[in-house]
């Protein structure tokens, strides 16, 4: 679904301007860029995928591309890059991911705030992930009874 949203975001233009291997800005087929980014992600070439999604976002693919770039940076262990890319994101999925980034960076209060923000949207799958991540946060904070209650 997200791939379709990215493609639709770029479909109006038909092409996108991105940096090639030499760093030069060139026009490229938008659908091919989306497929390439997801291919890199599937192959666990996370830094490459993150850069591709950032290029897509710069070319007009919007928030979905930024979220995917942040997810790739997070999965690659590049927490500062993930935080920078996601900082303006307000969707439930982005708040959940930002909460995980904050948790891994040791920013406990920020993690709690972001995870509760994601849960407030009451979007089924995202809310459930945020609740599980809140339980993880509680375990990290030594709140085992609260974590047990959150998970139930």
């Amino acid at each position: 679904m997200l791939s379709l949203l990215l493609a639709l975001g770029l479909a109006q233009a038909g092409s996108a301007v991105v940096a090639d291997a030499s760093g030069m800005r060139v026009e490229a087929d938008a659908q091919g860029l989306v497929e390439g980014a997801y291919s890199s992600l599937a192959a666990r070439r996370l830094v490459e995928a993150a850069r591709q999604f950032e290029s897509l976002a710069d070319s007009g693919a919007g928030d979905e591309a930024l979220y995917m770039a942040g997810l790739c940076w997070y999965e690659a262990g590049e927490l500062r890059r993930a935080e920078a890319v996601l900082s303006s994101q307000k969707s439930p999925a982005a708040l959940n991911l930002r909460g995980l980034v904050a948790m891994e960076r040791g920013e406990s209060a920020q993690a709690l705030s972001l995870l509760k923000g994601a849960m407030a949207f009451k979007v089924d799958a995202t809310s459930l992930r945020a609740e599980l991540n809140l339980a993880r946060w509680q375990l990290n904070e030594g709140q085992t009874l609260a974590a047990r209650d959150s998970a139930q």
Side-chain angles (χ1 to χ4, degrees):
M1 176 65 169
L2 204 47
S3 178
L4 175 63
L5 292 173
L6 287 176
L8 290 174
L10 292 172
Q12 295 171 348
S15 66
V17 179
V18 297
D20 69 4
S22 68
M24 295 174 47
R25 308 286 288 174
V26 297
E27 282 197 24
D29 169 51
Q31 183 60 34
L33 293 172
V34 172
E35 290 172 5
Y38 278 100
S39 177
S40 295
L41 177 59
R44 303 293 295 164
R45 295 188 310 270
L46 299 170
V47 171
E48 179 182 320
R51 289 184 178 136
Q52 290 170 315
F53 283 117
E54 285 179 342
S55 289
L56 287 165
D58 291 344
S59 296
D63 290 344
E64 293 85 8
L66 280 177
Y67 172 79
M68 291 304 297
L71 178 64
C72 291
W73 287 124
Y74 171 78
E75 290 291 327
E78 298 283 344
L79 300 179
R80 288 181 191 209
R81 299 280 304 259
E83 181 178 29
V85 169
L86 295 168
S87 65
S88 66
Q89 300 288 300
K90 304 291 186 218
S91 72
L95 291 173
N96 181 53
L97 183 54
R98 288 175 61 200
L100 288 174
V101 169
M103 189 184 327
E104 297 222 4
R105 289 177 50 100
E107 300 165 352
S108 184
Q110 179 74 2
L112 178 61
S113 174
L114 290 164
L115 292 172
K116 285 188 173 185
M119 289 168 50
F121 278 89
K122 306 235 183 273
V123 177
D124 293 340
T126 303
S127 292
L128 288 173
R129 276 191 299 259
E131 286 180 39
L132 288 172
N133 291 328
L134 176 61
R136 181 176 159 201
W137 176 88
Q138 290 166 327
L139 286 171
N140 287 346
E141 294 296 307
Q143 300 176 12
T144 52
L145 292 177
R148 183 198 67 197
D149 293 341
S150 291
Q152 292 180 349

PDB file of all heavy atoms in Angstrom, residues 48-86:
ATOM      1  N   GLU A  48      21.357   2.515   1.559  1.00  0.00           N
ATOM      2  CA  GLU A  48      20.994   2.806   0.169  1.00  0.00           C
ATOM      3  C   GLU A  48      19.502   3.098   0.059  1.00  0.00           C
ATOM      4  O   GLU A  48      19.089   4.068  -0.597  1.00  0.00           O
ATOM      5  CB  GLU A  48      21.370   1.600  -0.700  1.00  0.00           C
ATOM      6  CG  GLU A  48      21.024   1.735  -2.159  1.00  0.00           C
ATOM      7  CD  GLU A  48      21.387   0.474  -2.941  1.00  0.00           C
ATOM      8  OE1 GLU A  48      22.453  -0.129  -2.676  1.00  0.00           O
ATOM      9  OE2 GLU A  48      20.603   0.102  -3.830  1.00  0.00           O
ATOM     10  N   ALA A  49      18.685   2.270   0.695  1.00  0.00           N
ATOM     11  CA  ALA A  49      17.236   2.469   0.659  1.00  0.00           C
ATOM     12  C   ALA A  49      16.856   3.801   1.300  1.00  0.00           C
ATOM     13  O   ALA A  49      16.015   4.535   0.769  1.00  0.00           O
ATOM     14  CB  ALA A  49      16.528   1.313   1.369  1.00  0.00           C
ATOM     15  N   ALA A  50      17.470   4.125   2.431  1.00  0.00           N
ATOM     16  CA  ALA A  50      17.160   5.387   3.104  1.00  0.00           C
ATOM     17  C   ALA A  50      17.450   6.562   2.185  1.00  0.00           C
ATOM     18  O   ALA A  50      16.641   7.500   2.071  1.00  0.00           O
ATOM     19  CB  ALA A  50      17.962   5.506   4.399  1.00  0.00           C
ATOM     20  N   ARG A  51      18.581   6.522   1.522  1.00  0.00           N
ATOM     21  CA  ARG A  51      18.939   7.619   0.602  1.00  0.00           C
ATOM     22  C   ARG A  51      17.972   7.696  -0.574  1.00  0.00           C
ATOM     23  O   ARG A  51      17.609   8.779  -1.028  1.00  0.00           O
ATOM     24  CB  ARG A  51      20.371   7.440   0.126  1.00  0.00           C
ATOM     25  CG  ARG A  51      21.374   7.713   1.231  1.00  0.00           C
ATOM     26  CD  ARG A  51      22.799   7.641   0.748  1.00  0.00           C
ATOM     27  NE  ARG A  51      23.708   7.954   1.847  1.00  0.00           N
ATOM     28  CZ  ARG A  51      24.806   7.284   2.114  1.00  0.00           C
ATOM     29  NH1 ARG A  51      25.154   6.256   1.363  1.00  0.00           N
ATOM     30  NH2 ARG A  51      25.568   7.634   3.131  1.00  0.00           N
ATOM     31  N   GLN A  52      17.559   6.530  -1.069  1.00  0.00           N
ATOM     32  CA  GLN A  52      16.601   6.519  -2.175  1.00  0.00           C
ATOM     33  C   GLN A  52      15.261   7.109  -1.736  1.00  0.00           C
ATOM     34  O   GLN A  52      14.660   7.896  -2.471  1.00  0.00           O
ATOM     35  CB  GLN A  52      16.413   5.097  -2.705  1.00  0.00           C
ATOM     36  CG  GLN A  52      17.633   4.569  -3.434  1.00  0.00           C
ATOM     37  CD  GLN A  52      17.526   3.091  -3.741  1.00  0.00           C
ATOM     38  OE1 GLN A  52      17.133   2.294  -2.897  1.00  0.00           O
ATOM     39  NE2 GLN A  52      17.889   2.719  -4.957  1.00  0.00           N
ATOM     40  N   PHE A  53      14.798   6.734  -0.557  1.00  0.00           N
ATOM     41  CA  PHE A  53      13.531   7.283  -0.072  1.00  0.00           C
ATOM     42  C   PHE A  53      13.644   8.781   0.189  1.00  0.00           C
ATOM     43  O   PHE A  53      12.703   9.532  -0.070  1.00  0.00           O
ATOM     44  CB  PHE A  53      13.060   6.544   1.181  1.00  0.00           C
ATOM     45  CG  PHE A  53      12.445   5.202   0.897  1.00  0.00           C
ATOM     46  CD1 PHE A  53      13.028   4.051   1.386  1.00  0.00           C
ATOM     47  CD2 PHE A  53      11.284   5.089   0.143  1.00  0.00           C
ATOM     48  CE1 PHE A  53      12.473   2.800   1.120  1.00  0.00           C
ATOM     49  CE2 PHE A  53      10.721   3.854  -0.131  1.00  0.00           C
ATOM     50  CZ  PHE A  53      11.310   2.706   0.359  1.00  0.00           C
ATOM     51  N   GLU A  54      14.799   9.239   0.673  1.00  0.00           N
ATOM     52  CA  GLU A  54      14.989  10.680   0.862  1.00  0.00           C
ATOM     53  C   GLU A  54      14.936  11.409  -0.478  1.00  0.00           C
ATOM     54  O   GLU A  54      14.340  12.488  -0.583  1.00  0.00           O
ATOM     55  CB  GLU A  54      16.305  10.967   1.576  1.00  0.00           C
ATOM     56  CG  GLU A  54      16.260  10.654   3.055  1.00  0.00           C
ATOM     57  CD  GLU A  54      17.580  10.919   3.761  1.00  0.00           C
ATOM     58  OE1 GLU A  54      18.644  11.027   3.096  1.00  0.00           O
ATOM     59  OE2 GLU A  54      17.555  11.012   5.000  1.00  0.00           O
ATOM     60  N   SER A  55      15.548  10.836  -1.517  1.00  0.00           N
ATOM     61  CA  SER A  55      15.485  11.433  -2.855  1.00  0.00           C
ATOM     62  C   SER A  55      14.051  11.490  -3.357  1.00  0.00           C
ATOM     63  O   SER A  55      13.632  12.474  -3.963  1.00  0.00           O
ATOM     64  CB  SER A  55      16.346  10.646  -3.845  1.00  0.00           C
ATOM     65  OG  SER A  55      17.706  10.843  -3.593  1.00  0.00           O
ATOM     66  N   LEU A  56      13.308  10.424  -3.095  1.00  0.00           N
ATOM     67  CA  LEU A  56      11.901  10.412  -3.486  1.00  0.00           C
ATOM     68  C   LEU A  56      11.129  11.517  -2.770  1.00  0.00           C
ATOM     69  O   LEU A  56      10.311  12.208  -3.375  1.00  0.00           O
ATOM     70  CB  LEU A  56      11.274   9.046  -3.196  1.00  0.00           C
ATOM     71  CG  LEU A  56      11.690   7.924  -4.137  1.00  0.00           C
ATOM     72  CD1 LEU A  56      11.321   6.564  -3.563  1.00  0.00           C
ATOM     73  CD2 LEU A  56      11.057   8.121  -5.500  1.00  0.00           C
ATOM     74  N   ALA A  57      11.384  11.676  -1.486  1.00  0.00           N
ATOM     75  CA  ALA A  57      10.704  12.725  -0.722  1.00  0.00           C
ATOM     76  C   ALA A  57      11.046  14.099  -1.286  1.00  0.00           C
ATOM     77  O   ALA A  57      10.170  14.958  -1.442  1.00  0.00           O
ATOM     78  CB  ALA A  57      11.081  12.634   0.753  1.00  0.00           C
ATOM     79  N   ASP A  58      12.324  14.315  -1.604  1.00  0.00           N
ATOM     80  CA  ASP A  58      12.755  15.589  -2.183  1.00  0.00           C
ATOM     81  C   ASP A  58      12.100  15.843  -3.535  1.00  0.00           C
ATOM     82  O   ASP A  58      11.946  16.988  -3.949  1.00  0.00           O
ATOM     83  CB  ASP A  58      14.278  15.622  -2.352  1.00  0.00           C
ATOM     84  CG  ASP A  58      15.022  15.689  -1.030  1.00  0.00           C
ATOM     85  OD1 ASP A  58      14.397  16.007   0.004  1.00  0.00           O
ATOM     86  OD2 ASP A  58      16.233  15.400  -1.038  1.00  0.00           O
ATOM     87  N   SER A  59      11.703  14.765  -4.211  1.00  0.00           N
ATOM     88  CA  SER A  59      11.102  14.878  -5.545  1.00  0.00           C
ATOM     89  C   SER A  59       9.584  14.966  -5.507  1.00  0.00           C
ATOM     90  O   SER A  59       8.941  14.922  -6.549  1.00  0.00           O
ATOM     91  CB  SER A  59      11.522  13.687  -6.404  1.00  0.00           C
ATOM     92  OG  SER A  59      12.907  13.721  -6.604  1.00  0.00           O
ATOM     93  N   GLY A  60       9.022  15.030  -4.318  1.00  0.00           N
ATOM     94  CA  GLY A  60       7.585  15.215  -4.214  1.00  0.00           C
ATOM     95  C   GLY A  60       6.784  14.029  -3.735  1.00  0.00           C
ATOM     96  O   GLY A  60       5.561  14.076  -3.711  1.00  0.00           O
ATOM     97  N   ALA A  61       7.439  12.942  -3.327  1.00  0.00           N
ATOM     98  CA  ALA A  61       6.696  11.776  -2.855  1.00  0.00           C
ATOM     99  C   ALA A  61       6.082  12.017  -1.478  1.00  0.00           C
ATOM    100  O   ALA A  61       5.172  11.311  -1.073  1.00  0.00           O
ATOM    101  CB  ALA A  61       7.587  10.538  -2.816  1.00  0.00           C
ATOM    102  N   GLY A  62       6.581  12.985  -0.748  1.00  0.00           N
ATOM    103  CA  GLY A  62       5.939  13.412   0.483  1.00  0.00           C
ATOM    104  C   GLY A  62       6.277  12.624   1.730  1.00  0.00           C
ATOM    105  O   GLY A  62       7.333  11.994   1.836  1.00  0.00           O
ATOM    106  N   ASP A  63       5.341  12.693   2.678  1.00  0.00           N
ATOM    107  CA  ASP A  63       5.553  12.145   4.014  1.00  0.00           C
ATOM    108  C   ASP A  63       5.797  10.642   4.038  1.00  0.00           C
ATOM    109  O   ASP A  63       6.549  10.151   4.874  1.00  0.00           O
ATOM    110  CB  ASP A  63       4.371  12.487   4.920  1.00  0.00           C
ATOM    111  CG  ASP A  63       4.305  13.971   5.273  1.00  0.00           C
ATOM    112  OD1 ASP A  63       5.314  14.671   5.078  1.00  0.00           O
ATOM    113  OD2 ASP A  63       3.238  14.408   5.736  1.00  0.00           O
ATOM    114  N   GLU A  64       5.157   9.907   3.134  1.00  0.00           N
ATOM    115  CA  GLU A  64       5.349   8.455   3.121  1.00  0.00           C
ATOM    116  C   GLU A  64       6.806   8.109   2.826  1.00  0.00           C
ATOM    117  O   GLU A  64       7.381   7.203   3.433  1.00  0.00           O
ATOM    118  CB  GLU A  64       4.430   7.777   2.101  1.00  0.00           C
ATOM    119  CG  GLU A  64       2.960   7.854   2.440  1.00  0.00           C
ATOM    120  CD  GLU A  64       2.299   9.151   1.972  1.00  0.00           C
ATOM    121  OE1 GLU A  64       2.948   9.943   1.238  1.00  0.00           O
ATOM    122  OE2 GLU A  64       1.152   9.381   2.349  1.00  0.00           O
ATOM    123  N   ALA A  65       7.402   8.843   1.897  1.00  0.00           N
ATOM    124  CA  ALA A  65       8.813   8.599   1.564  1.00  0.00           C
ATOM    125  C   ALA A  65       9.711   8.979   2.735  1.00  0.00           C
ATOM    126  O   ALA A  65      10.685   8.273   3.027  1.00  0.00           O
ATOM    127  CB  ALA A  65       9.204   9.363   0.309  1.00  0.00           C
ATOM    128  N   LEU A  66       9.401  10.080   3.408  1.00  0.00           N
ATOM    129  CA  LEU A  66      10.192  10.472   4.582  1.00  0.00           C
ATOM    130  C   LEU A  66      10.086   9.428   5.690  1.00  0.00           C
ATOM    131  O   LEU A  66      11.076   9.101   6.345  1.00  0.00           O
ATOM    132  CB  LEU A  66       9.735  11.830   5.116  1.00  0.00           C
ATOM    133  CG  LEU A  66      10.256  13.051   4.387  1.00  0.00           C
ATOM    134  CD1 LEU A  66       9.665  14.317   4.992  1.00  0.00           C
ATOM    135  CD2 LEU A  66      11.769  13.102   4.426  1.00  0.00           C
ATOM    136  N   TYR A  67       8.879   8.923   5.907  1.00  0.00           N
ATOM    137  CA  TYR A  67       8.701   7.876   6.921  1.00  0.00           C
ATOM    138  C   TYR A  67       9.553   6.649   6.578  1.00  0.00           C
ATOM    139  O   TYR A  67      10.243   6.108   7.441  1.00  0.00           O
ATOM    140  CB  TYR A  67       7.226   7.472   7.041  1.00  0.00           C
ATOM    141  CG  TYR A  67       7.058   6.264   7.933  1.00  0.00           C
ATOM    142  CD1 TYR A  67       7.084   6.390   9.317  1.00  0.00           C
ATOM    143  CD2 TYR A  67       6.929   4.989   7.398  1.00  0.00           C
ATOM    144  CE1 TYR A  67       6.973   5.285  10.139  1.00  0.00           C
ATOM    145  CE2 TYR A  67       6.813   3.877   8.207  1.00  0.00           C
ATOM    146  CZ  TYR A  67       6.840   4.029   9.573  1.00  0.00           C
ATOM    147  OH  TYR A  67       6.744   2.919  10.381  1.00  0.00           O
ATOM    148  N   MET A  68       9.510   6.231   5.325  1.00  0.00           N
ATOM    149  CA  MET A  68      10.282   5.057   4.924  1.00  0.00           C
ATOM    150  C   MET A  68      11.781   5.313   5.069  1.00  0.00           C
ATOM    151  O   MET A  68      12.528   4.424   5.476  1.00  0.00           O
ATOM    152  CB  MET A  68       9.935   4.642   3.487  1.00  0.00           C
ATOM    153  CG  MET A  68       8.528   4.085   3.333  1.00  0.00           C
ATOM    154  SD  MET A  68       8.178   2.672   4.422  1.00  0.00           S
ATOM    155  CE  MET A  68       9.369   1.487   3.821  1.00  0.00           C
ATOM    156  N   ALA A  69      12.234   6.524   4.755  1.00  0.00           N
ATOM    157  CA  ALA A  69      13.653   6.862   4.948  1.00  0.00           C
ATOM    158  C   ALA A  69      14.006   6.762   6.426  1.00  0.00           C
ATOM    159  O   ALA A  69      15.034   6.180   6.791  1.00  0.00           O
ATOM    160  CB  ALA A  69      13.938   8.267   4.420  1.00  0.00           C
ATOM    161  N   GLY A  70      13.147   7.300   7.288  1.00  0.00           N
ATOM    162  CA  GLY A  70      13.390   7.215   8.728  1.00  0.00           C
ATOM    163  C   GLY A  70      13.423   5.783   9.223  1.00  0.00           C
ATOM    164  O   GLY A  70      14.265   5.415  10.048  1.00  0.00           O
ATOM    165  N   LEU A  71      12.521   4.964   8.713  1.00  0.00           N
ATOM    166  CA  LEU A  71      12.494   3.552   9.096  1.00  0.00           C
ATOM    167  C   LEU A  71      13.789   2.859   8.682  1.00  0.00           C
ATOM    168  O   LEU A  71      14.364   2.090   9.464  1.00  0.00           O
ATOM    169  CB  LEU A  71      11.289   2.860   8.448  1.00  0.00           C
ATOM    170  CG  LEU A  71      11.140   1.373   8.709  1.00  0.00           C
ATOM    171  CD1 LEU A  71      10.900   1.095  10.191  1.00  0.00           C
ATOM    172  CD2 LEU A  71       9.995   0.806   7.880  1.00  0.00           C
ATOM    173  N   CYS A  72      14.257   3.143   7.477  1.00  0.00           N
ATOM    174  CA  CYS A  72      15.509   2.538   7.008  1.00  0.00           C
ATOM    175  C   CYS A  72      16.689   2.986   7.869  1.00  0.00           C
ATOM    176  O   CYS A  72      17.534   2.162   8.243  1.00  0.00           O
ATOM    177  CB  CYS A  72      15.757   2.887   5.548  1.00  0.00           C
ATOM    178  SG  CYS A  72      14.601   2.106   4.409  1.00  0.00           S
ATOM    179  N   TRP A  73      16.763   4.285   8.172  1.00  0.00           N
ATOM    180  CA  TRP A  73      17.857   4.763   9.031  1.00  0.00           C
ATOM    181  C   TRP A  73      17.779   4.108  10.406  1.00  0.00           C
ATOM    182  O   TRP A  73      18.800   3.714  10.972  1.00  0.00           O
ATOM    183  CB  TRP A  73      17.823   6.283   9.169  1.00  0.00           C
ATOM    184  CG  TRP A  73      18.254   7.040   7.956  1.00  0.00           C
ATOM    185  CD1 TRP A  73      17.544   7.987   7.276  1.00  0.00           C
ATOM    186  CD2 TRP A  73      19.503   6.930   7.260  1.00  0.00           C
ATOM    187  NE1 TRP A  73      18.265   8.448   6.202  1.00  0.00           N
ATOM    188  CE2 TRP A  73      19.479   7.826   6.174  1.00  0.00           C
ATOM    189  CE3 TRP A  73      20.644   6.148   7.441  1.00  0.00           C
ATOM    190  CZ2 TRP A  73      20.546   7.978   5.290  1.00  0.00           C
ATOM    191  CZ3 TRP A  73      21.709   6.294   6.557  1.00  0.00           C
ATOM    192  CH2 TRP A  73      21.652   7.194   5.501  1.00  0.00           C
ATOM    193  N   TYR A  74      16.573   3.961  10.955  1.00  0.00           N
ATOM    194  CA  TYR A  74      16.395   3.307  12.257  1.00  0.00           C
ATOM    195  C   TYR A  74      16.888   1.859  12.199  1.00  0.00           C
ATOM    196  O   TYR A  74      17.651   1.417  13.055  1.00  0.00           O
ATOM    197  CB  TYR A  74      14.919   3.362  12.682  1.00  0.00           C
ATOM    198  CG  TYR A  74      14.622   2.540  13.903  1.00  0.00           C
ATOM    199  CD1 TYR A  74      14.955   3.010  15.173  1.00  0.00           C
ATOM    200  CD2 TYR A  74      14.019   1.293  13.796  1.00  0.00           C
ATOM    201  CE1 TYR A  74      14.691   2.245  16.304  1.00  0.00           C
ATOM    202  CE2 TYR A  74      13.757   0.537  14.916  1.00  0.00           C
ATOM    203  CZ  TYR A  74      14.089   1.011  16.171  1.00  0.00           C
ATOM    204  OH  TYR A  74      13.835   0.252  17.292  1.00  0.00           O
ATOM    205  N   GLU A  75      16.453   1.141  11.181  1.00  0.00           N
ATOM    206  CA  GLU A  75      16.839  -0.264  11.047  1.00  0.00           C
ATOM    207  C   GLU A  75      18.347  -0.413  10.830  1.00  0.00           C
ATOM    208  O   GLU A  75      18.939  -1.414  11.218  1.00  0.00           O
ATOM    209  CB  GLU A  75      16.076  -0.928   9.893  1.00  0.00           C
ATOM    210  CG  GLU A  75      14.600  -1.131  10.180  1.00  0.00           C
ATOM    211  CD  GLU A  75      14.345  -2.178  11.251  1.00  0.00           C
ATOM    212  OE1 GLU A  75      15.116  -3.143  11.352  1.00  0.00           O
ATOM    213  OE2 GLU A  75      13.362  -2.015  11.994  1.00  0.00           O
ATOM    214  N   ALA A  76      18.971   0.596  10.225  1.00  0.00           N
ATOM    215  CA  ALA A  76      20.425   0.573   9.995  1.00  0.00           C
ATOM    216  C   ALA A  76      21.198   0.985  11.253  1.00  0.00           C
ATOM    217  O   ALA A  76      22.425   0.946  11.258  1.00  0.00           O
ATOM    218  CB  ALA A  76      20.786   1.503   8.841  1.00  0.00           C
ATOM    219  N   GLY A  77      20.478   1.370  12.304  1.00  0.00           N
ATOM    220  CA  GLY A  77      21.134   1.787  13.538  1.00  0.00           C
ATOM    221  C   GLY A  77      21.600   3.234  13.522  1.00  0.00           C
ATOM    222  O   GLY A  77      22.310   3.669  14.429  1.00  0.00           O
ATOM    223  N   GLU A  78      21.191   3.973  12.526  1.00  0.00           N
ATOM    224  CA  GLU A  78      21.553   5.389  12.393  1.00  0.00           C
ATOM    225  C   GLU A  78      20.463   6.239  13.050  1.00  0.00           C
ATOM    226  O   GLU A  78      19.661   6.891  12.380  1.00  0.00           O
ATOM    227  CB  GLU A  78      21.714   5.749  10.912  1.00  0.00           C
ATOM    228  CG  GLU A  78      22.808   5.001  10.213  1.00  0.00           C
ATOM    229  CD  GLU A  78      24.195   5.535  10.548  1.00  0.00           C
ATOM    230  OE1 GLU A  78      24.296   6.662  11.068  1.00  0.00           O
ATOM    231  OE2 GLU A  78      25.166   4.798  10.307  1.00  0.00           O
ATOM    232  N   LEU A  79      20.457   6.238  14.387  1.00  0.00           N
ATOM    233  CA  LEU A  79      19.360   6.858  15.128  1.00  0.00           C
ATOM    234  C   LEU A  79      19.283   8.371  14.930  1.00  0.00           C
ATOM    235  O   LEU A  79      18.190   8.929  14.854  1.00  0.00           O
ATOM    236  CB  LEU A  79      19.473   6.513  16.609  1.00  0.00           C
ATOM    237  CG  LEU A  79      19.413   5.018  16.939  1.00  0.00           C
ATOM    238  CD1 LEU A  79      19.558   4.795  18.431  1.00  0.00           C
ATOM    239  CD2 LEU A  79      18.141   4.389  16.408  1.00  0.00           C
ATOM    240  N   ARG A  80      20.413   9.032  14.856  1.00  0.00           N
ATOM    241  CA  ARG A  80      20.381  10.492  14.644  1.00  0.00           C
ATOM    242  C   ARG A  80      19.814  10.836  13.276  1.00  0.00           C
ATOM    243  O   ARG A  80      19.056  11.791  13.138  1.00  0.00           O
ATOM    244  CB  ARG A  80      21.766  11.088  14.816  1.00  0.00           C
ATOM    245  CG  ARG A  80      22.174  11.077  16.261  1.00  0.00           C
ATOM    246  CD  ARG A  80      23.523  11.665  16.478  1.00  0.00           C
ATOM    247  NE  ARG A  80      23.863  11.327  17.850  1.00  0.00           N
ATOM    248  CZ  ARG A  80      24.643  12.035  18.609  1.00  0.00           C
ATOM    249  NH1 ARG A  80      25.205  13.109  18.131  1.00  0.00           N
ATOM    250  NH2 ARG A  80      24.877  11.671  19.842  1.00  0.00           N
ATOM    251  N   ARG A  81      20.191  10.059  12.277  1.00  0.00           N
ATOM    252  CA  ARG A  81      19.642  10.301  10.932  1.00  0.00           C
ATOM    253  C   ARG A  81      18.147  10.031  10.926  1.00  0.00           C
ATOM    254  O   ARG A  81      17.374  10.783  10.333  1.00  0.00           O
ATOM    255  CB  ARG A  81      20.337   9.411   9.890  1.00  0.00           C
ATOM    256  CG  ARG A  81      21.820   9.591   9.712  1.00  0.00           C
ATOM    257  CD  ARG A  81      22.277  10.759   8.874  1.00  0.00           C
ATOM    258  NE  ARG A  81      21.801  10.902   7.540  1.00  0.00           N
ATOM    259  CZ  ARG A  81      22.474  10.581   6.438  1.00  0.00           C
ATOM    260  NH1 ARG A  81      23.664  10.022   6.524  1.00  0.00           N
ATOM    261  NH2 ARG A  81      21.972  10.820   5.258  1.00  0.00           N
ATOM    262  N   ALA A  82      17.736   8.946  11.591  1.00  0.00           N
ATOM    263  CA  ALA A  82      16.304   8.634  11.662  1.00  0.00           C
ATOM    264  C   ALA A  82      15.554   9.766  12.343  1.00  0.00           C
ATOM    265  O   ALA A  82      14.501  10.208  11.861  1.00  0.00           O
ATOM    266  CB  ALA A  82      16.090   7.322  12.411  1.00  0.00           C
ATOM    267  N   GLU A  83      16.086  10.237  13.449  1.00  0.00           N
ATOM    268  CA  GLU A  83      15.440  11.319  14.188  1.00  0.00           C
ATOM    269  C   GLU A  83      15.327  12.573  13.321  1.00  0.00           C
ATOM    270  O   GLU A  83      14.284  13.237  13.294  1.00  0.00           O
ATOM    271  CB  GLU A  83      16.236  11.616  15.455  1.00  0.00           C
ATOM    272  CG  GLU A  83      15.653  12.698  16.318  1.00  0.00           C
ATOM    273  CD  GLU A  83      16.464  12.910  17.583  1.00  0.00           C
ATOM    274  OE1 GLU A  83      17.683  12.673  17.584  1.00  0.00           O
ATOM    275  OE2 GLU A  83      15.860  13.336  18.579  1.00  0.00           O
ATOM    276  N   ALA A  84      16.384  12.907  12.599  1.00  0.00           N
ATOM    277  CA  ALA A  84      16.375  14.105  11.753  1.00  0.00           C
ATOM    278  C   ALA A  84      15.320  14.003  10.656  1.00  0.00           C
ATOM    279  O   ALA A  84      14.589  14.957  10.389  1.00  0.00           O
ATOM    280  CB  ALA A  84      17.756  14.331  11.154  1.00  0.00           C
ATOM    281  N   VAL A  85      15.233  12.849  10.018  1.00  0.00           N
ATOM    282  CA  VAL A  85      14.282  12.666   8.922  1.00  0.00           C
ATOM    283  C   VAL A  85      12.844  12.668   9.439  1.00  0.00           C
ATOM    284  O   VAL A  85      11.945  13.205   8.793  1.00  0.00           O
ATOM    285  CB  VAL A  85      14.576  11.344   8.168  1.00  0.00           C
ATOM    286  CG1 VAL A  85      13.468  10.982   7.220  1.00  0.00           C
ATOM    287  CG2 VAL A  85      15.890  11.449   7.424  1.00  0.00           C
ATOM    288  N   LEU A  86      12.628  12.099  10.618  1.00  0.00           N
ATOM    289  CA  LEU A  86      11.274  11.944  11.151  1.00  0.00           C
ATOM    290  C   LEU A  86      10.795  13.131  11.972  1.00  0.00           C
ATOM    291  O   LEU A  86       9.624  13.182  12.349  1.00  0.00           O
ATOM    292  CB  LEU A  86      11.210  10.686  12.025  1.00  0.00           C
ATOM    293  CG  LEU A  86      11.415   9.358  11.314  1.00  0.00           C
ATOM    294  CD1 LEU A  86      11.629   8.243  12.320  1.00  0.00           C
ATOM    295  CD2 LEU A  86      10.240   9.057  10.396  1.00  0.00           C
TER     296      LEU A  86
END
